[in-house]
Amino acid sequence: MPFVIGYGIAIIGAMIAYQLSKGKTKKRQYIVWGITIMLAISPFLSFAIGLTYAFIKEDGWAALIMWLIFPIIFVIGLIVLLIGIFKKKEQKKADL
């Protein structure tokens, strides 16, 4: 059951990202989650989904779906990271 390891690493990565981003600004949260999605969640989740799908279909070639899932999740993480990098700091409005 190697796909359990993939799901486990993805869940542990999400828990660590949650702990690192708790109480931080939105900008910092976007950066942390973008990096986590790209490096911890994307490869391991696509690996686990690919193996799960291959196990269900009973065809080893079906595991190649991970080649389609990985870039999609990676690009989502890249977009989240870029939003965090280019997001402007929030300013409080002055009361008039």
Side-chain angles (χ1 to χ4, degrees), residues 2-16 36 39-41 43-45 47:
F3 55 85
V4 174
I5 295 170
Y7 287 125
I9 292 174
I11 290 171
I12 290 170
M15 290 188 319
I16 291 172
T36 303
L39 298 179
I41 295 175
F44 296 107
L45 189 63
F47 172 76

Side-chain angles (χ1 to χ4, degrees), residues 23-73:
K24 305 289 184 190
T25 62
K26 285 284 188 188
K27 181 177 175 122
R28 180 68 58 182
Q29 288 177 355
Y30 281 127
I31 292 172
V32 168
W33 277 102
I35 292 171
T36 303
I37 290 171
M38 289 190 319
L39 298 179
I41 295 175
S42 177
F44 296 107
L45 189 63
S46 64
F47 172 76
I49 291 172
L51 287 184
T52 303
Y53 183 68
F55 181 75
I56 291 170
K57 295 293 278 186
E58 297 178 357
D59 181 20
W61 289 100
L64 291 177
I65 195 170
M66 72 179 76
W67 286 90
L68 297 173
I69 296 171
F70 174 71
I72 293 169
I73 300 173

Side-chain angles (χ1 to χ4, degrees), residues 4-5 10 22 24 32-34 43 47 57 60 63 66 78 81 84 86-87 91 93 95-96:
V4 174
I5 295 170
K22 188 169 52 171
K24 305 289 184 190
V32 168
W33 277 102
F47 172 76
K57 295 293 278 186
M66 72 179 76
L78 182 63
L81 177 65
F86 293 114
K87 184 176 175 125
Q91 296 178 356
K93 294 182 180 179
D95 293 327
L96 296 176

